[in-house]
Amino acid sequence: MQIVKEGYPFIALSALLTVIIYYFAPPFAILPLVLMFYFAYFFRNPDRITVSDTTVLYSPADGTVMSVEPFHDTEYLDEEAIKITIFLSVFNVHVNRSPMAGEIKYQRYTCGRYLPAFKKEVTFENERHAIGIDNGKMKILVIQIAGILARRIVSWVTLGHELKQGDCYGMIKFGSSTELVVPKNVEIFCKKGDKVEGGITVLGRIKA
């Protein structure tokens, strides 16, 4: 288990507040102390082993599948596709992982609003960060979308970056959702309401 560096300022500030408040009013120090432990919990990055398999696509995030629907993608795939939307609560791991190995051939960050992550409008109106991954045989698009509490999407990669299957490439601070857009020749194994884990749960298999 690791804690991503983006969590250090939150943990340090709440720890400092705990010490200061404990000095002046000990009973109230419990509040920042609880926050400190929560931030350590939220910014966790569990050690996971992703089994490399070029025929499957893993979940890019932990959370609950909100929808699996036909989708015409004009951003990167430029074809009829399937979109899987995953909702991440404030209790889920928020580190995103690559569903497949490949090179980042497309990247786009879009400023926007901060609607609740479970609303359909968030796809078009909220802050978002999209990366297109190409392994030479197929292309997929993964989109990080900020939620009502999220105010910054973090990316640790850029164009030309080579990702292995299951590699961590970024995170979304606090509530959010992640979308995976795949070609129609992918057999989908998940459905609305399923709980998934990034880099562990197989969302689909590429048809021969």
Side-chain angles (χ1 to χ4, degrees):
M1 179 74 70
Q2 303 174 45
I3 296 176
V4 298
K5 65 181 186 299
E6 284 75 13
Y8 295 163
F10 293 90
I11 297 169
L13 179 60
S14 53
L16 178 62
L17 286 174
T18 299
V19 173
I20 294 173
I21 294 174
Y22 181 77
Y23 181 80
F24 292 102
F28 296 100
I30 189 66
L31 297 177
L33 182 64
V34 170
L35 272 179
M36 182 185 70
F37 283 113
Y38 171 72
F39 288 137
Y41 170 77
F42 178 84
F43 287 98
R44 68 197 186 281
N45 182 14
D47 293 325
R48 292 180 180 172
I49 298 175
T50 300
V51 179
S52 180
D53 187 341
T54 58
T55 67
V56 304
L57 296 174
Y58 288 102
S59 174
D62 288 29
T64 304
V65 175
M66 295 172 61
S67 65
V68 179
E69 57 188 342
F71 180 73
H72 182 76
D73 179 60
T74 57
E75 184 171 7
Y76 179 60
L77 275 65
D78 195 25
E79 62 179 291
E80 294 298 324
I82 303 169
K83 182 173 69 173
I84 302 170
T85 303
I86 301 167
F87 171 71
L88 293 75
S89 78
V90 293
F91 299 107
N92 288 126
V93 173
H94 273 56
V95 172
N96 292 121
R97 299 170 186 269
S98 180
M100 73 177 192
E103 180 183 351
I104 297 178
K105 292 288 188 70
Y106 172 84
Q107 186 174 31
R108 181 179 181 182
Y109 173 79
T110 307
C111 294
R113 300 169 63 189
Y114 299 97
L115 297 172
F118 55 80
K119 289 195 172 184
K120 286 189 175 182
E121 303 96 291
V122 301
T123 297
F124 307 102
E125 297 186 22
N126 278 24
E127 175 191 9
R128 64 200 296 272
H129 174 246
I131 61 170
I133 306 172
D134 188 339
N135 67 3
K137 295 181 179 179
M138 71 175 294
K139 301 190 297 184
I140 64 171
L141 182 68
V142 191
I143 307 167
Q144 300 165 294
I145 303 173
I148 191 169
L149 295 178
R151 288 295 184 273
R152 183 161 180 250
I153 293 175
V154 178
S155 175
W156 303 319
V157 297
T158 189
L159 282 173
H161 195 107
E162 289 283 349
L163 289 170
K164 296 178 181 177
Q165 208 166 27
D167 274 359
C168 300
Y169 69 86
M171 74 171 299
I172 320 168
K173 294 180 180 179
F174 308 107
S176 51
S177 64
T178 300
E179 294 181 340
L180 174 63
V181 181
V182 303
K184 292 190 72 175
N185 68 331
V186 174
E187 180 184 3
I188 303 300
F189 293 156
C190 64
K191 63 183 185 303
K192 183 178 180 179
D194 284 356
K195 304 294 183 181
V196 295
E197 291 184 281
I200 299 294
T201 306
V202 175
L203 296 187
R205 183 177 297 278
I206 302 165
K207 299 176 185 177

